Amino acid sequence: MTHPTGGLSDVVHQRHRLGILTIAAEATRVEFTYLKNALELTGGNLNRHLAVLEDAGMVTLEKAIEGRRPKTWVVITKAGRGALAAEIAALEALVRRHRAQQP
């Protein structure tokens, strides 16, 4: 049996990327500024994490002009939902293993 940490994804497990996927999974789409504020990130830092997730096919970005302001929305993909579910399953397995070893 392999250790549950083997199921953790290097892309997903980083706390801000896990936060992005978790928040995006709770809505149809989430606005960039909301994510920036909720995760307490700078715009540049959030952009970098989104680029990693987008390159991995886990999110897509929708850009539009609303009024006179540009807006960016983040949408989790099917692959992103699967990666999030796998990450949660690995974390649950890790917790179960840890609890089973407690006296």
Side-chain angles (χ1 to χ4, degrees):
M1 175 183 206
T2 61
H3 194 272
T5 56
L8 297 174
S9 164
D10 290 337
V11 173
V12 177
H13 193 69
Q14 198 285 339
R15 79 178 173 102
H16 292 118
R17 291 193 288 267
L18 182 59
I20 292 165
L21 290 174
T22 301
I23 292 169
E26 296 170 352
T28 304
R29 66 183 186 171
V30 62
E31 209 269 321
F32 181 92
T33 303
Y34 178 83
L35 279 175
K36 184 178 84 159
N37 294 334
L39 298 172
E40 299 178 341
L41 292 170
T42 64
N45 202 327
L46 178 56
N47 268 326
R48 181 66 194 122
H49 289 298
L50 289 172
V52 170
L53 292 171
E54 189 175 32
D55 288 348
M58 295 181 191
V59 299
T60 58
L61 303 180
E62 297 176 355
K63 297 180 182 246
I65 302 293
E66 223 177 63
R68 293 183 178 184
R69 298 181 152 218
K71 293 274 188 174
T72 300
W73 289 275
V74 178
V75 178
I76 191 169
T77 64
K78 184 176 179 180
R81 287 185 187 281
L84 179 59
E87 189 74 12
I88 290 170
L91 290 168
E92 288 171 336
L94 186 60
V95 168
R96 280 192 306 276
R97 181 182 173 117
H98 179 75
R99 287 189 177 148
Q101 294 176 357
Q102 296 302 307

